[in-house]
Amino acid sequence: MPITSRALLVRQCVEKREFKEEEIEHWVPKDMLGIYTLLRRGPDKQYDVMYIGMAESGKGIRERLLSHRHSSTKRRICTHFSFYEVVFRRDTGLIRQLEGLFRHIYRNDSHANCLNKQKRFDAVRKVRCTDIRNLKPPKHL
């Protein structure tokens, strides 16, 4: 079963499971919300992130993964999946922010972006500081 943690954002996760219907149905509970990744395991046994997605409402992570499994491109390219259930189930806007942030971080990675259509996150661009001398101190100080 999934590993339960005391992380502030993640309630539980499962990582690096084979991207097969039986694995998805066994490991991913219905109606779970959060972030998931599709991975490709290379001959060197390293995992590359091929796709980052979210389930914020309606279809849960299980349904999203199964729909990707039926995609001929993703089924051919991806070998494994991971998912991260978020703690803040009701505030789905935060799930969208997390997904956007991860896609923004990976936007220049040729593997992670080969299947993602959205490569950058405009909310990050709006708060980006172009001159480090203009950074504001953290609010907790």
Side-chain angles (χ1 to χ4, degrees):
M1 284 311 292
I3 300 168
T4 303
S5 73
R6 292 191 170 260
L8 294 175
L9 299 175
V10 178
R11 178 173 287 125
Q12 58 186 343
C13 70
V14 168
E15 296 185 298
K16 300 175 187 165
R17 300 304 308 181
E18 285 189 70
F19 190 44
K20 296 180 177 177
E21 283 192 46
E22 314 84 62
E23 289 286 304
I24 295 167
E25 290 172 357
H26 176 77
W27 287 98
V28 187
K30 288 183 178 181
D31 303 322
M32 180 175 284
L33 304 181
I35 303 293
Y36 61 90
T37 59
L38 298 180
L39 309 163
R40 181 179 198 161
R41 184 175 178 192
D44 57 357
K45 300 192 178 172
Q46 295 293 317
Y47 293 88
D48 291 321
V49 174
M50 306 305 286
Y51 182 85
I52 300 168
M54 68 173 176
E56 65 169 340
S57 62
K59 292 183 178 180
I61 293 173
R62 177 193 279 198
E63 291 77 18
R64 298 283 296 136
L65 288 171
L66 288 172
S67 71
H68 292 314
R69 181 73 188 119
H70 294 131
S71 159
S72 60
T73 303
K74 291 175 184 159
R75 183 175 63 236
R76 183 176 42 82
I77 294 174
C78 303
T79 61
H80 291 74
F81 71 91
S82 298
F83 72 82
Y84 308 87
E85 180 187 20
V86 295
V87 172
F88 40 85
R89 252 187 97 79
R90 290 184 182 90
D91 190 349
T92 57
L94 290 174
I95 297 172
R96 187 176 297 272
Q97 292 266 333
L98 278 175
E99 181 209 28
L101 178 60
F102 293 145
R103 285 187 176 179
H104 187 83
I105 290 168
Y106 278 101
R107 74 189 180 281
N108 296 318
D109 184 295
S110 61
H111 294 295
N113 268 332
C114 74
L115 298 173
N116 280 332
K117 291 179 182 167
Q118 174 197 335
K119 298 183 192 284
R120 65 177 177 228
F121 187 44
D122 286 335
V124 170
R125 290 181 52 211
K126 291 177 183 174
V127 298
R128 180 174 47 208
C129 182
T130 56
D131 186 345
I132 198 164
R133 295 171 293 184
N134 294 332
L135 281 176
K136 299 172 187 161
K139 290 188 177 199
H140 66 277
L141 295 179

